C-alpha cells in the first residue's frame, strides 16, 4: 500500500511539473518576466513560487531539511505582495528560477522515498505531497489564464475536445428534496474547506441539464441584458457601467458577428459551447433575466454527487472512480470547453451533464466554513477568505487537473472576476414555474 501511495504521489507531482515546464517554455524570457495584466503575476513569479512552496512544505516541514533559499521566502509570499506589485520585486531570473525549482524537486523525490506515509496528519496518505501537487496545478491554471490575457500570436496548441453526438436533452432536471451528505471526511487529499462530511437538507429544485451556452447568453445580450438595470445586483450594475462592459471578456462584435480571442486566436463565438469568462454578476443577471437563479453550493453538490437510488454521495457524478478522459474535459488536454451536452459517460445519476470540467460554475453561495471546520495545515489556505466577499465556484474547468478537482472541491473568487475560466448553470425552486424573460 505504501508503494502505491508513493507512486500515486510521484505521478501527481511529475504530471504537474511537466505542465509547468510546458507553460513556461513556450515563451521567451521577456514574456516570462513581463506582467501581462495587473490581475496576474509574471509567469516567472509563479515558477519560483511553485518551487518555494514545495521547499517549505516538503523539504522543510516533511523532510526536516535545512532551508535552501530562506532569503527568497518573503518574495514569493502571496499574502505579502499583491500581484500588481510583484514585477517590481527582485525576482529570480528565468534560468535561476528553473534551476531552483529543479533542485527542490530532486531533493523532494528523496524525501518521498524515505518518508513513512503515516503517523502524522501531514504525511498520512501522502497528504502533503498531494497538497503540493494540487498547489502546482492551481498555479498552472493561473499561468494558463495569463497566457489567455497575453497579447500576441498563439503559442499553445491542443486538439479539439471530442465531438460527442448530443441527443435531444431535457432543458432541466428535477433533483428530489431531502438530506444528503455534503463534503468529505474520507477523501485523502481533500483540502480543509471540503471537510468535514455533514448532512445537508436541500428542498427539491430544478437545475439546468448543461451549462448555459454562448448562444443562450447572446440572447440575453440581444435582449438588452447589459442595459437593463433591473437584472443586476447593485454592485454588478456599477461595475458594468464603470467599465463599459457589454459582453463576456474577450468578446467583440464585428459585422454583426460575435468574435472572441482565445489563446491568441480570433474566432467566431460558438453558439453550442458553454459561455466562458463571465463574472458572478453577469451570471446572476442572466439568471434573473431568464426567470431563474444561480444554484446554491449545496444544490450544486447534491446534483453532482447524490445518488437517490443508493442513498449516498459519490466522489464524482459518474461514480467513485478517478476521472478518465471520457468522463470530463480536464487537465488542459483541450484549450476550450466541449460543446454543451458532451461527455455523456460523465453524467450524474439524474442525468445532469458536464458538472466536472469544461467551465467553473458560479453558485449563489458565499465562501463559508462547513460545520466543524478546522484549518489545516495553515489558516491562509481557506480560513482568511471566509465571508461574504467571495463567491463559490464548483466543478473545475478544462484548465483544471484531476488532482485538483472532485465532487467536493471548492473554488472561490471575487464576484467581479472575469479572467478566470468561469461559466454557470441556472436553477429554480421545484414549485416555481419558469416565466422566461420579462
Amino acid at each position: 500500500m505504501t508503494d502505491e501511495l508513493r507512486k500515486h504521489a510521484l505521478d501527481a507531482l511529475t504530471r504537474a511539473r511537466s505542465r509547468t515546464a510546458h507553460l513556461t517554455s513556450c515563451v521567451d524570457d521577456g514574456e516570462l518576466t513581463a506582467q501581462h495584466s495587473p490581475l496576474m503575476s509574471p509567469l516567472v513569479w509563479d515558477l519560483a513560487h511553485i518551487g518555494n512552496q514545495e521547499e517549505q512544505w516538503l523539504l522543510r516541514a516533511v523532510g526536516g531539511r535545512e532551508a535552501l533559499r530562506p532569503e527568497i521566502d518573503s518574495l514569493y509570499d502571496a499574502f505579502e505582495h499583491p500581484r500588481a506589485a510583484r514585477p517590481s520585486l527582485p525576482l529570480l531570473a528565468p534560468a535561476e528560477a528553473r534551476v531552483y525549482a529543479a533542485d527542490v524537486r530532486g531533493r523532494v523525490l528523496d524525501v518521498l522515498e524515505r518518508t513513512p506515509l503515516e503517523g502524522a496528519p501531514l504525511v498520512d496518505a501522502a497528504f502533503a505531497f498531494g497538497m503540493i501537487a494540487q498547489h502546482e496545478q492551481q498555479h498552472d491554471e493561473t499561468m494558463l489564464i495569463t497566457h489567455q490575457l497575453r497579447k500576441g500570436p498563439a503559442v499553445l496548441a491542443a486538439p479539439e475536445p471530442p465531438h460527442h453526438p448530443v441527443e435531444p436533452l431535457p432543458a432541466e432536471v428535477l433533483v428530489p428534496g431531502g438530506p444528503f451528505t455534503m463534503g468529505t471526511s474520507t477523501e485523502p487529499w481533500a483540502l480543509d474547506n471540503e471537510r468535514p462530511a455533514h448532512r445537508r437538507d436541500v428542498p427539491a429544485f430544478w437545475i439546468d441539464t448543461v451549462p448555459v451556452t454562448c448562444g443562450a447568453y447572446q440572447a440575453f445580450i440581444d435582449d438588452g441584458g447589459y442595459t437593463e438595470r433591473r437584472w443586476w445586483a447593485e454592485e454588478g450594475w456599477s461595475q458594468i457601467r464603470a467599465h463599459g462592459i457589454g459582453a463576456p471578456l474577450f468578446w467583440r462584435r464585428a459585422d454583426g458577428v460575435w468574435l472572441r480571442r482565445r489563446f491568441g486566436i480570433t474566432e467566431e463565438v460558438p453558439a453550442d459551447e458553454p459561455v466562458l469568462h463571465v463574472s458572478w454578476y453577469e451570471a446572476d443577471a442572466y439568471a434573473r433575466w431568464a426567470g431563474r437563479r444561480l444554484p446554491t453550493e449545496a444544490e450544486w453538490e447534491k446534483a453532482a454527487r447524490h445518488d437517490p437510488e443508493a442513498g449516498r454521495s459519490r466522489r464524482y457524478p459518474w461514480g467513485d472512480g478517478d476521472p478518465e478522459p471520457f468522463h470530463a474535459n480536464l487537465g488542459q488536454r483541450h484549450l476550450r470547453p466541449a460543446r454543451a451536452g458532451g461527455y455523456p459517460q460523465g453524467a450524474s445519476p439524474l442525468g445532469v451533464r458536464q458538472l466536472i470540467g469544461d467551465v467553473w460554475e458560479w453558485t449563489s453561495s458565499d465562501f463559508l466554513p462547513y460545520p466543524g471546520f478546522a484549518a489545516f495545515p495553515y489558516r491562509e489556505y481557506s480560513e482568511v477568505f471566509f465571508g461574504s466577499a467571495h463567491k463559490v465556484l464548483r466543478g473545475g474547468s478544462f484548465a483544471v487537473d484531476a488532482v485538483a478537482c472532485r465532487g467536493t472541491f471548492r473554488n472561490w473568487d471575487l464576484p467581479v472576476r472575469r479572467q478566470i475560466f468561469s461559466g454557470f448553470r441556472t436553477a429554480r425552486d421545484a414549485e416555481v414555474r419558469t416565466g422566461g424573460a420579462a
Side-chain angles (χ1 to χ4, degrees), residues 28 37 59 91 104 117 130 141 155 213 252 297 362 367:
D28 62 25
S37 165
L59 289 190
L91 303 177
V104 171
L117 301 181
E141 181 179 10
V155 295
T213 64
R252 65 180 176 86
E297 182 182 12
W362 288 109
F367 184 48

Side-chain angles (χ1 to χ4, degrees), residues 49-134:
H49 170 78
I50 286 167
N52 185 249
Q53 287 291 291
E54 187 166 325
E55 183 194 345
Q56 291 193 48
W57 285 103
L58 299 186
L59 289 190
R60 302 182 201 171
V62 173
R65 306 287 181 90
E66 290 294 321
L68 295 178
R69 301 288 300 269
E71 76 280 4
I72 69 172
D73 288 354
S74 64
L75 292 177
Y76 297 100
D77 186 330
F79 288 89
E80 189 171 336
H81 304 288
R83 288 175 173 176
R86 290 171 190 170
S88 64
L89 299 173
L91 303 177
L92 300 184
E96 191 177 6
R98 289 191 179 99
V99 169
Y100 169 63
D103 186 16
V104 171
R105 175 54 58 87
R107 297 167 189 259
V108 161
L109 297 183
D110 183 62
V111 171
L112 176 60
E113 185 63 31
R114 295 170 180 267
T115 301
L117 301 181
E118 59 184 359
L122 201 57
V123 295
D124 283 345
F127 174 82
F129 297 92
M131 178 183 74
I132 288 300
Q134 292 179 79

Side-chain angles (χ1 to χ4, degrees), residues 292-333:
R292 297 170 70 82
R293 58 177 175 79
L294 295 179
T296 66
E297 182 182 12
E299 286 174 334
W300 188 96
E301 186 168 327
K302 185 171 186 180
R305 297 185 63 215
H306 185 59
D307 183 342
E309 185 174 332
R312 71 176 188 91
S313 290
R314 301 171 165 189
R315 293 180 68 216
Y316 297 96
W318 55 84
D320 295 332
D322 290 339
E324 299 286 350
F326 52 80
H327 285 135
N329 183 4
L330 293 167
Q332 201 183 312
R333 288 192 302 269

